[in-house]
Amino acid sequence: QVQLTESGGGSVQAGGSLNLSCTASVWTHQRMCVGWFRQAPGKEREEFAHIWTHDGSTFYVASVKGRFALSQDNAKNTVYLQMNSLEPDDTAMYYCAAVPNFRGCGRLTTEDYKSWGQGTQVTVSS
C-alpha cells in the first residue's frame, strides 16, 4: 500500500498563500488518482480537488476553483497543491489520498481512496 506524507501546512493571514505537498513512498501504478480533502472542526471531511497522474487532469470544487492549483512531479512521486487567496473558511486539516484507477477520478468516492496521509493543518486568520 502506498504511504503518503503531506507537508507545507501552517498559519497565514487572509489573502496569503501556502503550497502543500503530498509525497508517496511509491506510485504503485502510473494511473493514480490523488485526491485532496479537508476537514474543519465540527464538519465532515470533503474532497475539494483531485488529479489523475496519467495525464495531469484536475478537478476543483467551486469554492476553491481559481484559487487552488494542483501539479505533479512524477519523478518525485509528489503532488503539489498551491493555495492562493486563502480565506478563513479554508481553515481545516488537509489530507491527501490516493488510489490506482484506470479511468480517471471523477466517479470516486471518499471510500474508494485506499491510502491516506496523516494530514497537515492550515489556519487562515482574518
Side-chain angles (χ1 to χ4, degrees), residues 5-10 17-23 36-38 48 68-71 78-83 86 90 92-96 119-123:
T5 303
E6 299 106 337
S7 62
S17 299
L18 286 172
N19 189 18
L20 306 186
S21 299
C22 174
T23 299
W36 282 87
F37 299 76
R38 61 186 181 182
F48 62 88
F68 292 8
L70 287 169
S71 60
T78 299
V79 168
Y80 301 97
L81 174 66
Q82 177 66 41
M83 305 189 295
L86 283 162
D90 294 318
M93 184 70 78
Y94 283 66
Y95 301 89
C96 66
T120 186
Q121 179 67 38
V122 171
T123 302

Side-chain angles (χ1 to χ4, degrees), residues 27 30 32 34 51-58 70-81:
W27 288 134
Q30 288 183 342
M32 300 289 293
V34 179
I51 186 168
W52 193 32
T53 62
H54 172 59
D55 61 3
S57 55
T58 56
L70 287 169
S71 60
Q72 63 187 74
D73 185 337
N74 290 340
K76 296 182 179 181
N77 297 337
T78 299
V79 168
Y80 301 97
L81 174 66

Side-chain angles (χ1 to χ4, degrees), residues 43-63:
K43 295 186 178 181
E44 293 188 356
R45 185 174 298 187
E46 64 160 347
E47 181 184 8
F48 62 88
H50 61 237
I51 186 168
W52 193 32
T53 62
H54 172 59
D55 61 3
S57 55
T58 56
F59 165 81
Y60 307 91
V61 297
S63 61

